[in-house]
Amino acid sequence: MTEEQDLIDQSPPPSAPDPGPNPTPNPNSVIHPRRVSFEHGLLPIQKLVFTDPIQTLAPVKQKLTDAASNNRVGSAAVADVLQISGDHARLVLETLGSVLHLESDPLVRAKPEEVDSAGADLRDLILFLYIQSYKKLLPRTHKDSAAVADVWPSTSAFDGYLSALSPIQLVRSNSRRFMPSQADDEAHQLSYLQKHLANIISLLAEPVEGEGEESLVLSMEAFEHLGFLVQFGDKGSDVSPLSQATPFFANSDPDMPAVPVPASQVHDWLLQNIASALESITERISGKENGPSSASDQDDAMSDACAAPNKVAPSGRGPCLIEGVSKTSLVKQASDLRGRSVKVVNCHDSVIYLLAPLRYATVHGCSDTTIVLGAVGKALRVEHCERVHVIAASKRVCIANCRECVFFLGVNQRPLIVGDNHKLQVAPYNSYYSHLEEHMREVGVEPTINKWDKPLALGAVDPHDSLSHPAGVADAQAESAACVDPDQFINFLIPNWFSGEEIGSTKDNPFPLPDPYMAAQQRNVKNFEETRRSLRETPLEENRKKELSSALHVYFKDWLYASGNIRQLYCLQGD
């Protein structure tokens, strides 16, 4: 058991020191970790994972400060100070930009060609580097594996040589893995922050002039950067500036700079809030484990996946959860998901359409499924999937621990490939729906930039998981992806599911196809037209024409059943 995992089992959570005046948290506001920083902001680059973050980052902060201009640093300075490649330094900035809490930050608003010139705020970068030491909570095994046996297949083409697999694959192949619940994840992340809070605050604080390092204070501006890691707000509420939740910065005069606060006071107040939140989460988890299960409980949505195959769990503050969809088609439109984040979890042998402008999207533990995502403005992560086809327009894509998957991408940044992958393929984006370009503009995905064929493979071992790994494999590189043969490239037609709704302006694929794929597509169209013309012009008697037509229909029907596409026709008729 890792040190971080051990933290989650402490009960009750350690009490914080007396924070002095106004220690009581606002009863209408609860502290939460910013989950996207931990879910989409970790990079498996060994040089960024510090065993002792405070000892390492203190001198790093000083070097970055010396290289900064207006408190911002570009990729060249990041590469020089951290001793990493230029590609990895740019990846650091792109990843940070995808998870920053302030939409107004220049790095968030920067176009792909402006990332280096925009640079990163030094304080955000330091916090980003600090959490690279975070260890994720291990995926859990479902409490009733038999109940979901027909949802998650137990066999795989890879199961014949398990002895040759790495530990991460062995764990995955020998047990049914499920994402930790939101409550488990939040408790784990809060426990990490609880342990490291003093170090984190010391990296943001500054000494009082003339009084030495012992008298650290935190300005309101520096305090706001903690919004990268935590936020206040009840489920369903908008997230307000972090300073407005505090007793020492709230209601400050906007025309007057707020007086800096002793770092110890900030530390104690946050610690009090974290301890209170952990106690509440522990009670909630305990209640779920000891009490009767609830079909509406999104953290246990898989328990009735067989009874409700189109399980879609609503969520106020967290992402929309689509879990346990099996052997069917599922469609969600912008009216269902606009501006939301989505998690597609443990779906099997289905076709899932999420035709909406999204912030973040995660696909976890799916098999034999086609997933069509609208426009993802922040980041898409696909992990622990087998034989899945993903069609997505996204600013950023990360693929981790997948097998025999094909990705049809319109992506503005280089696709990131990490972990233990096998037989991955990438191809240019191959579809459209009528509102696609509108949704892309809404979330900031550029149709003129598509880096689908420039994947960046990082480590085969994720230093952020809590598994042990054999010696000598830490520096192994992940297996990259091959490009789909242009002759095998086909367009994917998205049905017009809701004919009564307003039709958008998109009439074709907004991402230009590379020449080899365009040429192959034109050849296929030409061959189709020639075949159709030859069939029409073939001199046949009427009864022979009927026999030919009947044979073509039989073969087409056989293909529909063999490919599983017949199910989509039934779903269309049902709607």
Side-chain angles (χ1 to χ4, degrees):
M1 180 176 291
T2 65
E3 184 178 21
E4 284 83 357
Q5 279 184 294
D6 186 53
L7 284 168
I8 203 170
D9 296 326
Q10 296 176 2
S11 180
S15 59
D18 180 11
N22 298 316
T24 306
N26 185 339
N28 297 319
S29 187
V30 179
I31 197 168
H32 300 281
R34 265 191 90 243
R35 295 182 67 190
V36 296
S37 295
F38 296 96
E39 293 175 359
H40 295 277
L42 303 180
L43 290 173
I45 299 175
Q46 289 294 333
K47 287 186 176 181
L48 301 185
V49 181
F50 309 119
T51 54
D52 188 345
I54 189 64
Q55 291 296 324
T56 308
L57 284 176
V60 165
K61 177 189 174 184
Q62 186 56 53
K63 291 179 182 178
L64 289 171
T65 301
D66 294 341
S69 174
N70 294 323
N71 222 33
R72 304 189 72 86
V73 288
S75 60
V78 172
D80 180 54
V81 172
L82 298 176
Q83 294 297 291
I84 57 177
S85 68
D87 283 345
H88 286 180
R90 182 179 175 87
L91 178 62
V92 166
L93 295 186
E94 290 175 340
T95 305
L96 174 58
S98 73
V99 294
L100 272 177
H101 57 300
L102 292 174
E103 292 295 324
S104 58
D105 189 278
L107 186 58
V108 177
R109 303 172 69 88
K111 294 182 178 180
E113 67 275 11
E114 299 171 344
V115 168
D116 287 323
S117 58
D121 186 285
L122 175 62
R123 291 156 294 193
D124 292 328
L125 179 59
I126 290 297
L127 294 181
F128 173 83
L129 293 174
Y130 195 103
I131 65 169
Q132 301 306 310
S133 64
Y134 175 75
K135 297 281 188 181
K136 298 175 185 175
L137 193 61
L138 277 174
R140 57 187 171 90
T141 300
H142 194 264
K143 64 182 179 182
D144 187 5
S145 294
V148 295
D150 66 333
V151 175
W152 180 250
S154 59
T155 59
S156 164
F158 293 85
D159 291 340
Y161 56 93
L162 284 177
S163 60
L165 300 182
S166 69
I168 192 168
Q169 290 173 305
L170 286 170
V171 169
R172 187 186 189 284
S173 300
N174 292 333
S175 65
R176 303 188 190 282
R177 293 175 54 152
F178 292 85
M179 295 181 76
S181 71
Q182 177 169 305
D184 287 337
D185 255 345
E186 285 207 2
H188 190 59
Q189 291 159 9
L190 283 173
S191 295
Y192 171 85
L193 293 173
Q194 184 183 53
K195 176 186 175 183
H196 293 275
L197 189 60
N199 290 343
I200 289 169
I201 289 177
S202 72
L203 288 169
L204 293 178
E206 298 292 340
V208 176
E209 190 172 351
E211 296 189 22
E213 294 291 334
E214 294 76 18
S215 57
L216 293 175
V217 294
L218 207 65
S219 67
M220 186 170 77
E221 182 185 4
F223 179 79
E224 288 289 5
H225 288 275
L226 287 171
F228 177 72
L229 299 176
V230 295
Q231 63 190 40
F232 282 85
D234 298 325
K235 289 186 177 182
S237 65
D238 294 329
V239 177
S240 58
L242 194 61
S243 59
Q244 294 306 303
T246 72
F248 30 84
F249 289 129
N251 302 317
S252 295
D253 186 344
D255 296 326
M256 294 287 291
V259 177
V261 174
S264 59
Q265 184 179 352
V266 175
H267 171 265
D268 293 347
W269 183 82
L270 282 172
L271 211 57
Q272 173 82 14
N273 279 270
I274 290 174
S276 176
L278 275 171
E279 185 176 356
S280 174
I281 293 171
T282 302
E283 290 174 357
R284 196 161 77 243
I285 294 174
S286 177
K288 289 176 184 176
E289 290 175 349
N290 299 326
S293 61
S294 167
S296 64
D297 180 5
Q298 80 169 65
D299 289 336
D300 198 21
M302 198 61 193
S303 62
D304 62 345
C306 300
N310 290 350
K311 184 73 179 181
V312 180
S315 175
R317 185 173 50 81
C320 175
L321 181 67
I322 297 171
E323 186 166 19
V325 176
S326 178
K327 299 181 180 179
T328 190
S329 294
L330 177 70
V331 185
K332 290 291 171 183
Q333 301 278 87
S335 56
D336 305 307
L337 300 172
R338 183 180 297 274
R340 299 281 301 276
S341 295
V342 172
K343 288 190 176 182
V344 181
V345 181
N346 299 324
C347 296
H348 170 60
D349 194 14
S350 297
V351 181
I352 298 173
Y353 301 87
L354 306 178
L355 310 180
L358 304 168
R359 287 175 58 78
Y360 297 92
T362 299
V363 179
H364 177 98
C366 298
S367 64
D368 301 291
T369 293
T370 295
I371 300 168
V372 184
L373 293 156
V376 184
K378 294 292 188 180
L380 163 64
R381 183 177 178 88
V382 183
E383 58 188 10
H384 300 295
C385 291
E386 293 184 2
R387 300 176 301 279
V388 163
H389 285 201
V390 175
I391 301 169
S394 180
K395 186 171 290 185
R396 173 183 178 80
V397 175
C398 179
I399 303 164
N401 305 307
C402 292
R403 305 173 174 183
E404 300 181 33
C405 296
V406 186
F407 300 87
F408 298 89
L409 301 175
V411 59
N412 293 165
Q413 299 175 11
R414 296 178 66 181
L416 191 59
I417 299 180
V418 303
D420 213 340
N421 301 282
H422 293 276
K423 297 185 178 180
L424 302 183
Q425 291 182 284
V426 291
Y429 192 79
N430 67 337
S431 191
Y432 71 94
Y433 58 96
S434 69
H435 290 285
L436 177 58
E437 288 172 299
E438 171 195 332
H439 293 168
M440 288 169 59
R441 285 192 297 270
E442 186 173 328
V443 299
V445 177
E446 297 281 346
T448 57
I449 301 172
N450 193 358
K451 299 189 177 182
W452 68 273
D453 58 342
K454 297 178 176 62
L456 179 59
L458 295 183
V461 170
D462 187 352
H464 305 108
D465 67 36
S466 299
L467 299 170
S468 59
H469 300 284
V473 302
D475 295 325
Q477 192 174 44
E479 179 182 311
S480 192
C483 293
V484 169
D485 188 316
D487 290 328
Q488 302 298 317
F489 177 82
I490 57 174
N491 288 327
F492 183 89
L493 179 62
I494 297 175
N496 183 16
W497 291 92
F498 302 101
S499 56
E501 294 195 358
E502 180 185 355
I503 302 300
S505 60
T506 302
K507 308 295 183 186
D508 201 355
N509 184 346
F511 293 93
L513 284 179
D515 290 342
Y517 291 87
M518 178 62 75
Q521 195 170 74
Q522 290 171 345
R523 283 197 303 271
N524 290 337
V525 171
K526 182 179 178 182
N527 290 340
F528 171 75
E529 292 295 339
E530 289 178 352
T531 301
R532 185 165 65 172
R533 186 172 61 252
S534 65
L535 288 173
R536 284 176 175 173
E537 295 175 355
T538 300
L540 292 175
E541 297 177 1
E542 194 62 32
N543 63 330
R544 300 291 289 175
K545 285 184 178 181
K546 289 182 179 179
E547 289 178 6
L548 177 60
S549 177
S550 177
L552 289 173
H553 278 91
V554 168
Y555 281 119
F556 180 62
K557 190 174 181 180
D558 288 345
W559 174 81
L560 283 174
Y561 279 99
S563 64
N565 287 313
I566 190 68
R567 187 181 300 125
Q568 290 197 70
L569 293 183
Y570 285 131
C571 289
L572 275 169
Q573 290 176 343
D575 289 341

